[in-house]
Amino acid sequence: MICVAALGAVVATSLSALGVLPWLSLQAGFGQAGVIDAGIFVQIGLTCLILMLGFYLPSSARMMALENAHRKFSLNMHDIVEAYQVAHAADRSGVFALASEFDAVKERMAFLRDHPDLQALEPEILETAAQMSQISHELAETYGNERVERAQMFLKQRQEEVELFQQRIEDAQTILHELSQWTRDIEIEESIAKSQLSRLRDELFELLPELSAQLQTPPDGSDPSASSVVAMSPPRAAE
Protein backbone atom coordinates (compact mmCIF):
# COMPACT_ATOMS: atom_id res chain seq x y z
CA MET A 1 0.00 0.00 0.00
CA ILE A 2 2.85 2.38 0.77
CA CYS A 3 4.50 1.64 -2.56
CA VAL A 4 1.25 2.18 -4.46
CA ALA A 5 0.60 5.43 -2.59
CA ALA A 6 4.16 6.64 -3.24
CA LEU A 7 3.87 5.82 -6.94
CA GLY A 8 0.53 7.65 -7.19
CA ALA A 9 1.85 10.70 -5.33
CA VAL A 10 4.95 10.93 -7.55
CA VAL A 11 2.88 10.62 -10.74
CA ALA A 12 0.34 13.20 -9.56
CA THR A 13 3.06 15.69 -8.51
CA SER A 14 4.95 15.19 -11.78
CA LEU A 15 1.81 15.75 -13.86
CA SER A 16 1.01 18.84 -11.81
CA ALA A 17 4.54 20.18 -12.40
CA LEU A 18 4.10 19.58 -16.13
CA GLY A 19 0.78 21.39 -16.10
CA VAL A 20 -1.31 18.36 -16.96
CA LEU A 21 -3.05 18.27 -13.59
CA PRO A 22 -3.80 21.17 -11.30
CA TRP A 23 -1.96 21.61 -8.05
CA LEU A 24 -3.60 20.95 -4.72
CA SER A 25 -5.44 24.09 -3.60
CA LEU A 26 -5.22 24.92 0.08
CA GLN A 27 -5.58 28.39 1.65
CA ALA A 28 -3.41 28.80 4.72
CA GLY A 29 -2.12 31.64 6.86
CA PHE A 30 -0.23 32.29 10.12
CA GLY A 31 -0.97 35.11 12.47
CA GLN A 32 -1.37 38.51 10.86
CA ALA A 33 0.32 37.35 7.67
CA GLY A 34 -1.73 37.20 4.56
CA VAL A 35 -3.43 34.08 3.37
CA ILE A 36 -1.48 32.24 0.70
CA ASP A 37 -2.13 29.15 -1.46
CA ALA A 38 -0.15 26.45 0.33
CA GLY A 39 -1.56 23.51 -1.65
CA ILE A 40 1.55 23.10 -3.79
CA PHE A 41 3.79 22.92 -0.74
CA VAL A 42 1.49 20.43 1.00
CA GLN A 43 1.34 18.23 -2.11
CA ILE A 44 5.11 18.21 -2.52
CA GLY A 45 5.59 17.58 1.22
CA LEU A 46 3.18 14.63 1.20
CA THR A 47 4.93 13.20 -1.85
CA CYS A 48 8.31 13.45 -0.11
CA LEU A 49 6.90 11.88 3.06
CA ILE A 50 5.45 8.93 1.19
CA LEU A 51 8.74 8.46 -0.68
CA MET A 52 10.60 8.46 2.64
CA LEU A 53 8.23 5.74 3.91
CA GLY A 54 8.92 3.76 0.74
CA PHE A 55 12.68 3.98 1.35
CA TYR A 56 12.06 2.82 4.92
CA LEU A 57 10.43 -0.45 3.76
CA PRO A 58 13.65 -2.46 3.11
CA SER A 59 14.98 -1.79 6.61
CA SER A 60 11.58 -2.72 8.04
CA ALA A 61 11.62 -5.96 6.04
CA ARG A 62 15.05 -6.80 7.45
CA MET A 63 13.80 -6.19 10.99
CA MET A 64 10.78 -8.42 10.36
CA ALA A 65 13.08 -11.13 9.01
CA LEU A 66 15.18 -10.91 12.16
CA GLU A 67 12.07 -11.16 14.31
CA ASN A 68 10.92 -14.21 12.36
CA ALA A 69 14.38 -15.73 12.74
CA HIS A 70 14.03 -15.39 16.51
CA ARG A 71 12.38 -18.76 17.06
CA LYS A 72 9.79 -19.57 19.67
CA PHE A 73 10.33 -22.24 22.32
CA SER A 74 7.88 -24.70 20.74
CA LEU A 75 9.63 -24.41 17.39
CA ASN A 76 12.99 -24.88 19.11
CA MET A 77 11.74 -28.06 20.75
CA HIS A 78 10.59 -29.36 17.37
CA ASP A 79 14.00 -28.64 15.87
CA ILE A 80 15.73 -30.26 18.85
CA VAL A 81 13.61 -33.39 18.45
CA GLU A 82 14.38 -33.51 14.72
CA ALA A 83 18.13 -33.09 15.30
CA TYR A 84 18.09 -35.65 18.13
CA GLN A 85 16.34 -38.22 15.95
CA VAL A 86 19.00 -37.79 13.28
CA ALA A 87 21.84 -38.11 15.82
CA HIS A 88 20.24 -41.09 17.58
CA ALA A 89 19.71 -42.92 14.28
CA ALA A 90 23.36 -42.35 13.38
CA ASP A 91 24.42 -43.53 16.85
CA ARG A 92 22.41 -46.74 16.45
CA SER A 93 24.15 -47.33 13.13
CA GLY A 94 27.55 -47.14 14.82
CA VAL A 95 28.70 -43.83 13.30
CA PHE A 96 30.08 -42.42 16.58
CA ALA A 97 32.96 -44.25 18.19
CA LEU A 98 34.61 -41.75 20.58
CA ALA A 99 34.36 -42.71 24.24
CA SER A 100 35.08 -39.38 25.95
CA GLU A 101 31.98 -37.34 26.79
CA PHE A 102 33.38 -34.07 25.45
CA ASP A 103 34.70 -35.70 22.28
CA ALA A 104 31.43 -37.58 21.79
CA VAL A 105 29.37 -34.38 22.00
CA LYS A 106 31.79 -32.58 19.71
CA GLU A 107 31.66 -35.42 17.18
CA ARG A 108 27.85 -35.39 17.23
CA MET A 109 27.74 -31.61 16.76
CA ALA A 110 30.05 -31.87 13.76
CA PHE A 111 27.85 -34.59 12.28
CA LEU A 112 24.65 -32.58 12.80
CA ARG A 113 26.25 -29.40 11.43
CA ASP A 114 27.19 -31.20 8.21
CA HIS A 115 23.79 -32.86 7.83
CA PRO A 116 21.93 -31.46 4.77
CA ASP A 117 18.54 -31.33 6.54
CA LEU A 118 19.81 -29.38 9.57
CA GLN A 119 21.74 -26.54 7.93
CA ALA A 120 19.30 -23.83 9.07
CA LEU A 121 19.25 -24.78 12.76
CA GLU A 122 20.95 -22.67 15.40
CA PRO A 123 24.13 -23.96 17.10
CA GLU A 124 22.40 -24.05 20.51
CA ILE A 125 19.82 -26.46 19.12
CA LEU A 126 22.50 -28.70 17.63
CA GLU A 127 24.42 -28.65 20.92
CA THR A 128 21.34 -29.62 22.91
CA ALA A 129 20.52 -32.43 20.48
CA ALA A 130 24.14 -33.66 20.59
CA GLN A 131 24.11 -33.74 24.38
CA MET A 132 20.81 -35.64 24.39
CA SER A 133 22.23 -38.11 21.87
CA GLN A 134 25.36 -38.62 23.99
CA ILE A 135 23.25 -39.27 27.10
CA SER A 136 21.20 -41.88 25.24
CA HIS A 137 24.31 -43.56 23.80
CA GLU A 138 23.82 -46.62 26.00
CA LEU A 139 20.24 -46.92 24.79
CA ALA A 140 21.39 -46.59 21.18
CA GLU A 141 24.07 -49.24 21.77
CA THR A 142 21.57 -51.61 23.38
CA TYR A 143 19.05 -51.19 20.56
CA GLY A 144 21.55 -50.82 17.74
CA ASN A 145 20.59 -51.66 14.19
CA GLU A 146 22.69 -54.84 14.17
CA ARG A 147 21.16 -56.17 17.38
CA VAL A 148 17.67 -55.22 16.28
CA GLU A 149 18.20 -57.00 12.95
CA ARG A 150 19.44 -60.13 14.76
CA ALA A 151 16.44 -60.05 17.06
CA GLN A 152 14.09 -59.60 14.12
CA MET A 153 15.78 -62.48 12.27
CA PHE A 154 15.46 -64.71 15.36
CA LEU A 155 11.80 -63.82 15.79
CA LYS A 156 11.20 -64.41 12.09
CA GLN A 157 12.74 -67.89 12.35
CA ARG A 158 10.67 -68.65 15.45
CA GLN A 159 7.57 -67.49 13.61
CA GLU A 160 8.37 -69.77 10.69
CA GLU A 161 8.95 -72.70 13.09
CA VAL A 162 5.64 -72.01 14.82
CA GLU A 163 3.85 -71.86 11.46
CA LEU A 164 5.50 -75.15 10.39
CA PHE A 165 4.56 -76.78 13.70
CA GLN A 166 0.99 -75.52 13.33
CA GLN A 167 0.85 -76.94 9.81
CA ARG A 168 2.06 -80.31 11.10
CA ILE A 169 -0.60 -80.27 13.82
CA GLU A 170 -3.26 -79.56 11.21
CA ASP A 171 -1.95 -82.43 9.05
CA ALA A 172 -1.96 -84.76 12.08
CA GLN A 173 -5.54 -83.74 12.90
CA THR A 174 -6.57 -84.46 9.33
CA ILE A 175 -4.91 -87.90 9.42
CA LEU A 176 -6.49 -88.63 12.80
CA HIS A 177 -9.91 -87.72 11.44
CA GLU A 178 -9.40 -89.97 8.42
CA LEU A 179 -8.25 -92.88 10.62
CA SER A 180 -11.21 -92.40 12.96
CA GLN A 181 -13.62 -92.41 10.04
CA TRP A 182 -11.91 -95.45 8.56
CA THR A 183 -12.12 -97.28 11.93
CA ARG A 184 -15.83 -96.51 12.22
CA ASP A 185 -16.41 -97.80 8.69
CA ILE A 186 -14.54 -101.04 9.48
CA GLU A 187 -16.49 -101.50 12.71
CA ILE A 188 -19.77 -101.02 10.84
CA GLU A 189 -18.70 -103.55 8.20
CA GLU A 190 -17.64 -106.03 10.89
CA SER A 191 -20.98 -105.57 12.66
CA ILE A 192 -22.83 -106.23 9.41
CA ALA A 193 -20.67 -109.31 8.74
CA LYS A 194 -21.29 -110.66 12.26
CA SER A 195 -25.02 -110.09 11.87
CA GLN A 196 -25.04 -111.95 8.56
CA LEU A 197 -22.98 -114.81 10.08
CA SER A 198 -25.37 -115.08 13.04
CA ARG A 199 -28.37 -115.21 10.74
CA LEU A 200 -26.75 -117.92 8.59
CA ARG A 201 -25.88 -119.95 11.68
CA ASP A 202 -29.48 -119.76 12.98
CA GLU A 203 -30.83 -120.86 9.61
CA LEU A 204 -28.31 -123.71 9.54
CA PHE A 205 -29.33 -124.91 13.02
CA GLU A 206 -32.96 -124.92 11.91
CA LEU A 207 -32.10 -126.93 8.81
CA LEU A 208 -29.76 -129.55 10.38
CA PRO A 209 -32.41 -131.51 12.41
CA GLU A 210 -34.51 -132.04 9.30
CA LEU A 211 -31.48 -133.18 7.32
CA SER A 212 -30.40 -135.54 10.13
CA ALA A 213 -33.88 -137.14 10.30
CA GLN A 214 -33.97 -137.63 6.56
CA LEU A 215 -30.50 -139.17 6.51
CA GLN A 216 -31.26 -141.60 9.38
CA THR A 217 -34.49 -142.95 7.72
CA PRO A 218 -33.70 -145.11 4.63
CA PRO A 219 -36.10 -144.79 1.76
CA ASP A 220 -36.85 -148.65 1.58
CA GLY A 221 -38.05 -148.95 5.23
CA SER A 222 -35.14 -151.14 6.44
CA ASP A 223 -33.68 -151.02 9.94
CA PRO A 224 -32.01 -147.76 10.59
CA SER A 225 -29.38 -149.50 12.72
CA ALA A 226 -28.31 -151.59 9.74
CA SER A 227 -27.90 -148.65 7.56
CA SER A 228 -24.46 -147.64 6.61
CA VAL A 229 -25.27 -143.99 6.99
CA VAL A 230 -22.93 -142.25 9.37
CA ALA A 231 -24.63 -139.86 11.78
CA MET A 232 -23.42 -136.29 11.58
CA SER A 233 -22.30 -134.60 14.72
CA PRO A 234 -24.00 -131.35 15.59
CA PRO A 235 -22.07 -128.29 14.55
CA ARG A 236 -20.00 -126.48 17.10
CA ALA A 237 -21.13 -123.16 18.24
CA ALA A 238 -19.41 -120.31 16.50
CA GLU A 239 -16.80 -118.60 18.59
Side-chain angles (χ1 to χ4, degrees):
M1 292 177 64
I2 294 176
C3 292
V4 172
L7 179 61
V10 170
V11 172
T13 303
S14 300
L15 293 177
S16 297
L18 295 175
V20 177
L21 294 176
W23 288 99
L24 179 66
S25 178
L26 181 63
Q27 301 296 325
F30 184 76
Q32 299 297 328
V35 178
I36 60 175
D37 187 7
I40 183 173
F41 302 104
V42 174
Q43 183 175 350
I44 294 174
L46 289 174
T47 302
C48 293
L49 178 61
I50 296 175
L51 285 175
M52 290 173 62
L53 292 177
F55 284 112
Y56 177 73
L57 287 178
S59 60
S60 177
R62 287 194 296 270
M63 292 181 62
M64 292 182 63
L66 290 176
E67 291 179 358
N68 293 330
H70 185 68
R71 301 173 182 269
K72 298 181 180 179
F73 178 75
S74 59
L75 183 60
N76 284 341
M77 289 302 298
H78 176 73
D79 294 339
I80 290 174
V81 170
E82 182 181 1
Y84 169 73
Q85 290 177 350
V86 173
H88 187 66
D91 198 4
R92 289 182 58 184
S93 301
V95 176
F96 309 122
L98 297 180
S100 174
E101 180 178 355
F102 175 78
D103 294 336
V105 174
K106 185 177 180 181
E107 183 183 14
R108 284 166 171 79
M109 286 189 62
F111 174 80
L112 295 176
R113 192 180 299 111
D114 296 335
H115 198 277
D117 297 335
L118 308 176
Q119 297 291 335
L121 298 184
E122 300 175 359
E124 292 81 3
I125 296 177
L126 300 180
E127 182 179 0
T128 303
Q131 292 175 353
M132 293 173 60
S133 175
Q134 195 277 331
I135 293 174
S136 62
H137 173 67
E138 183 178 357
L139 181 65
E141 184 178 1
T142 303
Y143 296 96
N145 293 338
E146 184 178 357
R147 294 187 177 182
V148 171
E149 289 177 359
R150 289 203 304 267
Q152 290 177 350
M153 183 65 66
F154 173 75
L155 293 177
K156 184 178 180 181
Q157 293 177 355
R158 291 292 303 274
Q159 182 67 30
E160 292 177 354
E161 291 177 358
V162 170
E163 292 177 356
L164 180 60
F165 184 72
Q166 187 67 28
Q167 183 64 34
R168 290 178 178 176
I169 291 178
E170 293 178 358
D171 295 341
Q173 290 178 349
T174 302
I175 295 173
L176 178 61
H177 178 72
E178 293 177 355
L179 291 177
S180 300
Q181 184 66 31
W182 194 2
T183 303
R184 286 193 295 269
D185 294 340
I186 293 175
E187 290 177 353
I188 292 173
E189 292 177 358
E190 288 181 352
S191 176
I192 295 174
K194 288 180 180 180
S195 177
Q196 292 177 353
L197 179 61
S198 177
R199 186 173 62 254
L200 291 175
R201 184 182 61 187
D202 294 340
E203 292 178 357
L204 181 61
F205 285 166
E206 292 176 359
L207 183 61
L208 283 178
E210 298 179 359
L211 292 176
S212 298
Q214 293 178 4
L215 291 174
Q216 291 178 1
T217 302
D220 54 357
S222 59
D223 188 6
S225 58
S227 175
S228 60
V229 177
V230 180
M232 296 178 61
S233 60
R236 291 183 301 173
E239 295 181 358

